Amino acid sequence: MPIRVLEPTVAAQIAAGEVVERPASVAKELIENALDAGATRIGVEVRGGGLQELKIQDNGCGIPADEVELAFERHATSKLRAPDDLWAIATLGFRGEALPSIASVAQVVCITRAAAEELGTELRIAGGELQGRSARGCSPGTSFSIRNLFYNAPVRREFLRSEATEASAISAVVTQYALAYPEVRFSMLVDGRLAVQTSGRGDMREALIELYGLEVARQLLPVDTTIGEDQEAISVRGLVSPPGLTRSSRGYIHLFVNRRAIQPRGQLAMVLEEAYHTLMMKGRHPVAALDIRVHPAMVDVNVHPTKSEVKFRDSARVMGALGRAVRAALIEGGGVRPWDDPAAPMAGEVAQRRFELRRLGDRWDTPQVGRQGADAAQLPQGEADRWGERGLPWQADEIAPASRSVGDATQAPADSLPAFPAPGLPASKLPPLRVVGQVSQTYIVAESPDGMYLIDQHAAHERVTYERLMAQRGAGGFDRQNLLIPQTLELPPAAQALLLSNAEALEEWGFAIEDFGMHLKIRAVPAGLRDSTLDGALLEVADHLHGRGGSTPNDWREAMLTTLACHSSIRAGQTLSPEEMRQLIVQLEQCQAPRTCPHGRPTMILLTTSQLERQFGRIK
């Protein structure tokens, strides 16, 4: 096949594929242009997930009438003059590729007016071809209306997600820059509904209150560290969550380099999370909004087609500054001791103790999964009378139903959780257990013929709840609890948009959700879901709807079941009565896989009698 030069239209669409991946890519480029133009107000309107129409309006400096058409030429920019300028970039945009790339795959209407001009200019472009130009009255600034994105590249549309997911991605972009530029007033409408609005008063915490709610924003710890001077200076400023405030994905980590939003992945995200070492459970992520400032000559922003990644000249120094700044904020915020402090754990470090205790399980003998429970007849002489047929110092039929829930008043009664033994299998896959007590309001101590068991009360109840939910789903539906007084929740705009657009699907899981302005109104929840964890559960559900729960329907269902089980279970740090502990063990015995929680973590560890005797020097 002979080599030939591509037609301009084909070349333009190929170039657009590097810049315009989805509607959110268009929003990002146009918002960055508005910020570079000095805008103090930016409005975003979304229809049909941004495919039908995406409108960005600002009050920036505008484009002079004689330069409007030039702005849509490839590599036309006002931000660079010489090659050396690439190492002193102080703007978000600089390549001159965004406008021509967008115009090549959409129908674009640009209305702009420079402040010094009396009339504005309206330019219409479709598929990269100029359709018309006219003078018109308008306010200073620029308005872009992007309609029918990818209308001339239908294959590109097939790779996009649902309208709700695409609108959520646009909301995430707006949220990013609302935090990076808190002095700019942002607003966003999705199909006519106000989804995002910030005041533009210049305070990042205030912007976080407007985006994530007061309950989240007030807990965040300030970060403000500067090292070095002049061109070597590195500053890290922003807000991070304490160890007790976490999320199930990195979607709530906002990282900026010289106020440029970058993806929360790679080395920067790893260093941020490493600052929480031993303070967060595996699979959890902090909430953070951090801006790293370095001299423009010390960072290369031209290493990624969408400018979502950067490269530092002295990466090790920047990473060190970031890690130390976040760790210092956690220490100063209280509840976290420095690395070299040998003091005993403080009261607020339950999560750390849970992590460390589970690590011990790697060194201790853990019983084999599937080991069958011992019958009274199989126990050593004298033990049968003590343990009884179910491994308890009472008979199973003498156990009184729990007078209150395992957990709190919002829980279903403990005795209402059914047993799920598979046909043909023994009723219990655990050895007989006798409750001794509770440690740190987190672990149940139980004795068995094998030795001493430490049972994680949250993980154990999570397994019980998970199998109950599985049984309900197999029976055709979930038990639903209608709320006498509907709850209103304020969640991040992107999460609210996803939940509302999938309200009908969520009804199958027991939720009844309605739009309530900037809030959600919750009329019903799955039976057993705790009020105190409702917002966290819905945030995780939104993550699953966004695709973070897996790529297949089965993955999504599994993620949903795990989330509901986690947020419907008793928590670490919750005092249980002896009867509640006994009932929990009885229910755990009836599970198909009692040894692990749905996340794969162990529900219990065993210290055998021989291990205890060895520790006390009875045997060698």
Side-chain angles (χ1 to χ4, degrees):
M1 183 178 294
I3 298 174
R4 57 191 178 91
V5 178
L6 292 173
E7 297 179 4
T9 303
V10 177
Q13 290 190 7
I14 292 174
E18 297 180 349
V19 179
V20 184
E21 298 175 354
R22 59 194 306 188
S25 307
V26 176
K28 176 181 181 293
E29 297 291 346
L30 296 181
I31 288 174
E32 288 181 349
N33 282 350
L35 292 169
D36 286 341
T40 58
R41 292 195 310 273
I42 298 177
V44 180
E45 296 181 32
V46 180
R47 289 197 299 139
L51 290 171
Q52 187 176 350
E53 183 177 22
L54 174 62
K55 188 174 182 180
I56 313 282
Q57 187 170 7
D58 67 68
N59 66 342
C61 64
I63 305 173
D66 58 347
E67 296 180 1
V68 178
E69 294 181 32
L70 181 61
F72 285 87
E73 294 293 330
R74 194 164 299 279
H75 305 304
T77 180
S78 61
K79 301 164 186 175
L80 292 179
R81 289 289 180 270
D84 290 344
D85 292 343
L86 280 171
W87 296 103
I89 294 175
T91 56
L92 298 173
F94 55 88
R95 292 176 180 157
E97 293 181 330
L99 291 183
S101 295
I102 295 168
S104 68
V105 291
Q107 298 166 344
V108 179
V109 177
C110 172
I111 301 172
T112 184
R113 176 192 154 198
E117 298 175 340
E118 295 183 359
L119 285 176
T121 303
E122 177 178 320
L123 202 67
R124 294 178 175 272
I125 300 177
E129 300 292 330
L130 180 64
Q131 304 296 309
R133 172 190 172 123
S134 61
R136 61 168 294 171
C138 61
S139 302
T142 302
S143 170
F144 286 97
S145 178
I146 313 300
R147 300 170 182 167
N148 299 320
L149 185 63
F150 300 133
Y151 79 100
N152 56 353
V155 175
R156 296 287 300 277
R157 285 195 169 217
E158 295 177 4
F159 288 88
L160 298 178
R161 307 291 293 275
S162 67
E163 291 184 359
T165 303
E166 296 300 333
S168 174
I170 297 171
S171 178
V173 171
V174 175
T175 297
Q176 286 270 59
Y177 280 108
L179 293 174
Y181 291 80
E183 73 276 15
V184 177
R185 182 178 180 180
F186 283 85
S187 64
M188 176 177 168
L189 296 174
V190 178
D191 295 324
R193 181 181 63 86
L194 183 63
V196 177
Q197 187 170 39
T198 62
S199 62
R201 294 194 180 99
D203 182 9
M204 179 183 283
R205 190 183 295 273
E206 184 173 341
L208 276 161
I209 291 173
E210 293 162 328
L211 294 168
Y212 288 163
L214 176 62
E215 185 62 29
V216 170
R218 72 178 182 178
Q219 298 182 58
L220 301 184
L221 307 174
V223 178
D224 191 349
T225 299
T226 301
I227 63 171
E229 297 179 354
D230 301 327
Q231 188 168 322
E232 300 296 322
I234 301 172
S235 72
V236 182
R237 294 186 175 91
L239 297 163
V240 296
S241 64
L245 177 61
T246 62
R247 294 291 182 259
S248 61
S249 74
R250 286 179 172 173
Y252 299 87
I253 297 177
H254 306 281
L255 298 177
F256 312 99
V257 175
N258 294 344
R259 306 184 91 180
R260 178 189 304 279
I262 62 173
Q263 291 293 329
R265 61 190 181 208
Q267 197 171 8
L268 280 175
M270 183 183 71
V271 169
L272 167 62
E273 295 186 338
E274 184 65 20
Y276 288 81
H277 180 63
T278 75
L279 303 176
M280 284 192 310
M281 291 296 296
K282 182 180 179 181
R284 305 297 295 181
H285 307 274
V287 177
L290 293 172
D291 184 21
I292 303 169
R293 301 284 183 95
V294 298
H295 191 278
M298 303 301 290
V299 59
D300 185 0
V301 300
N302 192 30
V303 297
H304 193 273
T306 61
K307 299 171 288 186
S308 60
E309 297 178 7
V310 298
K311 186 175 182 180
F312 296 101
R313 181 167 291 183
D314 190 350
S315 180
R317 190 161 169 267
V318 174
M319 300 304 161
L322 173 62
R324 287 191 294 271
V326 174
R327 189 70 182 187
L330 295 174
I331 293 171
E332 293 170 9
V336 179
R337 63 179 185 277
W339 289 112
D340 56 353
D341 186 354
M346 289 175 274
E349 294 183 64
V350 174
Q352 182 171 344
R353 289 198 298 268
R354 293 180 70 189
F355 174 82
E356 293 171 345
L357 189 54
R358 283 182 176 138
R359 288 287 300 273
L360 292 176
D362 296 336
R363 300 197 299 271
W364 293 345
D365 294 336
T366 302
Q368 295 294 321
V369 174
R371 175 180 170 179
Q372 308 304 317
D375 295 329
Q378 298 173 315
L379 296 177
Q381 184 67 32
E383 290 290 294
D385 294 337
R386 179 185 177 195
W387 291 93
E389 293 182 358
R390 290 293 305 273
L392 302 168
W394 59 83
Q395 297 302 317
D397 56 2
E398 296 175 354
I399 300 175
S403 59
R404 57 191 176 95
S405 62
V406 177
D408 58 23
T410 62
Q411 283 288 101
D415 62 332
S416 68
L417 302 181
F420 310 109
L425 288 179
S428 174
K429 294 188 176 183
L430 294 176
L433 297 173
R434 181 177 68 86
V435 172
V436 176
Q438 188 182 29
V439 177
S440 299
Q441 298 176 308
T442 301
Y443 304 100
I444 298 172
V445 182
E447 182 186 8
S448 82
D450 302 324
M452 182 179 72
Y453 277 84
L454 288 177
I455 301 171
D456 185 326
Q457 64 190 40
H458 173 69
H461 196 222
E462 202 173 11
R463 165 55 62 182
V464 171
T465 307
Y466 176 80
E467 296 201 8
R468 171 173 61 83
L469 293 173
M470 286 281 288
Q472 289 181 0
R473 181 166 183 82
F478 293 98
D479 293 338
R480 188 181 204 179
Q481 178 181 345
N482 293 317
L483 302 180
L484 184 62
I485 301 176
Q487 287 198 36
T488 57
L489 295 179
E490 183 178 5
L491 300 180
Q496 290 193 181
L498 276 173
L499 292 169
L500 286 172
S501 60
N502 290 276
E504 186 174 342
L506 292 177
E507 287 186 3
E508 299 178 7
W509 294 86
F511 291 100
I513 301 174
E514 297 178 2
D515 187 8
F516 195 62
M518 297 290 289
H519 299 73
L520 292 178
K521 179 178 285 187
I522 314 299
R523 293 192 176 277
V525 297
L529 186 63
R530 301 161 60 92
D531 293 344
S532 60
T533 65
L534 180 56
D535 55 346
L538 287 174
L539 284 172
E540 289 191 24
V541 169
D543 283 342
H544 303 331
L545 291 170
H546 196 270
R548 300 187 183 105
S551 57
T552 68
N554 285 336
D555 290 340
W556 187 82
R557 285 192 293 271
E558 176 71 16
M560 284 289 292
L561 288 168
T562 302
T563 292
L564 293 180
C566 179
H567 290 278
S568 299
S569 301
I570 59 177
R571 317 301 291 181
Q574 186 172 331
T575 302
L576 301 181
S577 69
E579 178 64 20
E580 287 173 327
M581 288 186 278
R582 287 192 290 267
Q583 287 290 334
L584 179 56
I585 289 177
V586 169
Q587 294 168 68
L588 186 63
E589 286 179 330
Q590 297 167 345
C591 290
Q592 292 296 310
R595 304 284 183 176
T596 60
C597 78
H599 300 94
R601 298 189 295 266
T603 58
M604 62 188 71
I605 56 176
L606 168 65
L607 283 85
T608 64
T609 302
S610 61
Q611 287 174 326
L612 291 171
E613 290 178 342
R614 189 178 299 113
Q615 290 296 322
F616 285 101
R618 291 181 178 273
I619 60 174
K620 295 182 180 180

